[in-house]
Amino acid sequence: MNEEGSLAMGDYREIITKAVVAKGRKFIQSNHTVCPQHHPSSILGAWIINHKYKAKKVGNTVEVSGSFDINIWYSYKDNTQTEVVTECVEYKDVIKVKYRDEEILDDIEVVARVVQQPNCIEATISKNGNKIIVHVEREFIVEVIGETKICVAVADAGDCEDEDWGLEAEDEEF
């Protein structure tokens, strides 16, 4: 510190560290058509399982690629028989990211977190009666982690002495 009690230029250090340098969030709604073996009379249940995904950075966006299984329990033959039909859906969601600091040194990794797992909101029988339309919602948050430079104030060297930690070597350790 200088005489006025403020830090001088030599009292700062630039440190290169990993940090979240960009973030994005996206809510996605999609419709999927499932073609059952029989003409459905009614839909008894619809659910989504086996969600898998991965993310990668592409330019100033993050692409989340994944898949999930849609399972629909339906009745047919005037509600006298039932069956479950399963269809695997693949998707690719492009999520824009906003950079906090444009002067990053390097993009290291991308982290994607599911805010809302793919969820069946509604399942209806199509107008011609031979298909099932499934309305699905999902939501992601993505973060880009990169190397960036930060500037920190340096404490007085006396504040960081090893004696403060009680780390004196004892003879039997040698």
Side-chain angles (χ1 to χ4, degrees):
M1 289 209 186
N2 61 23
E3 295 170 8
E4 292 88 34
S6 61
L7 294 170
M9 285 299 282
D11 295 333
Y12 292 93
R13 296 288 186 275
E14 289 181 332
I15 297 175
I16 295 174
T17 187
K18 285 187 191 182
V20 175
V21 295
K23 285 187 178 188
R25 184 177 188 141
K26 188 169 186 180
F27 176 76
I28 302 102
Q29 296 179 320
S30 57
N31 289 319
H32 306 279
T33 303
V34 178
C35 301
Q37 187 174 355
H38 310 282
H39 280 48
S41 301
S42 62
I43 297 169
L44 305 172
W47 62 99
I48 295 176
I49 60 172
N50 298 328
H51 182 220
K52 299 175 187 117
Y53 64 94
K54 61 183 178 182
K56 68 178 181 178
K57 186 175 174 296
V58 178
N60 282 343
T61 65
V62 171
E63 283 185 1
V64 178
S65 303
S67 65
F68 53 82
D69 293 338
I70 298 175
N71 290 286
I72 301 173
W73 181 31
Y74 69 100
S75 66
Y76 60 99
K77 288 190 179 177
D78 292 324
N79 294 318
T80 60
Q81 295 182 327
T82 67
E83 187 172 89
V84 174
V85 61
T86 300
E87 185 154 322
C88 181
V89 173
E90 293 185 355
Y91 65 89
K92 184 179 288 186
D93 297 330
V94 177
I95 303 172
K96 292 179 185 175
V97 293
K98 182 175 181 181
Y99 279 82
R100 177 162 289 182
D101 181 6
E102 291 295 330
E103 297 196 25
I104 60 170
L105 303 175
D106 191 20
D107 292 336
I108 296 175
E109 67 181 285
V110 175
V111 176
R113 291 191 319 256
V114 177
V115 176
Q116 178 181 331
Q117 290 286 347
N119 188 29
C120 177
I121 301 302
E122 181 180 35
T124 56
I125 299 171
S126 65
K127 289 181 183 177
N128 63 7
N130 65 340
K131 297 177 183 175
I132 299 171
I133 310 300
V134 181
H135 180 70
V136 176
E137 294 180 342
R138 61 187 175 274
E139 186 173 7
F140 290 97
I141 290 178
V142 294
E143 296 175 332
V144 177
I145 298 169
E147 285 188 352
T148 188
K149 197 184 304 184
I150 61 173
C151 185
V152 296
V154 178
D156 184 350
D159 293 341
C160 296
E161 296 295 325
D162 282 342
E163 292 84 43
D164 294 344
W165 290 82
L167 299 177
E168 294 80 22
E170 297 186 20
D171 289 339
E172 62 247 16
E173 289 178 349
F174 291 106

